[in-house]
Amino acid sequence: MRFALCLFADEYSRVVASCTRIPNHPHMAKPSDTAKPEQPSSRLETLTQGNVALMGALQRRGAKDSFGSLKFLAAIRPAEWLELVHTHGTPEGSPLTPTEYAAALASNVERHFPTASLAAHLADGRRLGQIPALKGVARFLWDHPGFDLVTANLNATTRLADPRSGPASPQLVAGLRSLQRLHELGATWDETAALLDAGYHSAADVAAAEPTELNTRLAGRIKPEQRILALQHRAKTLQKAASRRR
């Protein structure tokens, strides 16, 4: 069983890399948890690629406590997505294998609900929750359910103050900024954990890294190697765009 789970983890990492698209345009809009309103049923149809059986299962699952939101999907872990796909199948006519479709579902949910997905990663002991620099972020997100990492102005730190505990700590602000910057890079939260653990806290850090060193430090953490190269290419694109705006 343990061997099978390891095989799934490796295959899942490979497929997620193929499903994760890094925008080519530096100003391309990114989804956020507070993006424009959309009917949950319509959004669920988009996320599942019209898989009616899976839509029904997810609607039943979220009916009790989602209050019309689909953010509950962020708590579903990759292995559970695969189990759901094996139970309810892939969309009719889809060329994707169950593993590819499960990876696409997880990737789509994270892309549409980045802050809720971040909270789930931190809360249930995934790699991101083991990063010391992010201490306090999980509690902050719990105490501020309306916080949106994508749109937050983290330079206005007074807005992060808590009436009960006072101003946000420098460590919390630094952690949130690192998460925001790496999300802008297009990294998934699992990839963000690998980048932070390797000492890369922003697109500028990734862009400035020597490619061989970057590959060495991220080998086995971000797969495949082409994904590491794609992230660095995106980082350099962002840096060039920032330089032109100065």
Side-chain angles (χ1 to χ4, degrees), residues 57-76 142:
L58 294 174
Q59 286 171 332
R60 290 190 294 274
R61 179 177 183 142
K64 294 181 180 180
D65 55 7
S66 66
F67 301 103
S69 169
L70 296 179
K71 290 184 181 180
F72 73 93
L73 298 174
I76 300 178
W142 176 265

Side-chain angles (χ1 to χ4, degrees), residues 3-15:
F3 177 68
L5 287 174
C6 290
L7 286 177
F8 167 68
D10 285 343
E11 175 67 5
Y12 182 82
S13 297
R14 181 189 67 78
V15 174

Side-chain angles (χ1 to χ4, degrees), residues 13 16 23-24 29 45 51 78 85 121 170 178 215 227 235 243:
S13 297
V16 165
N24 292 321
E45 182 177 7
N51 187 332
V85 171
H121 274 256
S178 293
N215 282 325
R227 175 62 178 165
S243 296

Side-chain angles (χ1 to χ4, degrees), residues 29-37 43 71 109-119 137 140-156 159-160 176-177 179-181 183-184 189:
K30 288 178 172 292
S32 74
D33 300 67
T34 55
K36 60 183 179 181
R43 200 168 199 182
K71 290 184 181 180
V109 168
E110 183 170 309
R111 189 162 55 248
H112 280 80
F113 304 106
T115 308
S117 295
L118 169 63
V137 174
F140 173 81
L141 294 177
W142 176 265
D143 290 339
H144 300 80
F147 178 78
D148 188 337
L149 182 73
V150 178
T151 60
N153 179 4
L154 296 178
N155 292 318
R159 297 182 182 179
L160 302 179
L176 290 171
R177 283 175 177 164
L179 290 166
Q180 189 180 66
R181 289 165 179 165
H183 180 267
E184 174 67 19
W189 292 131

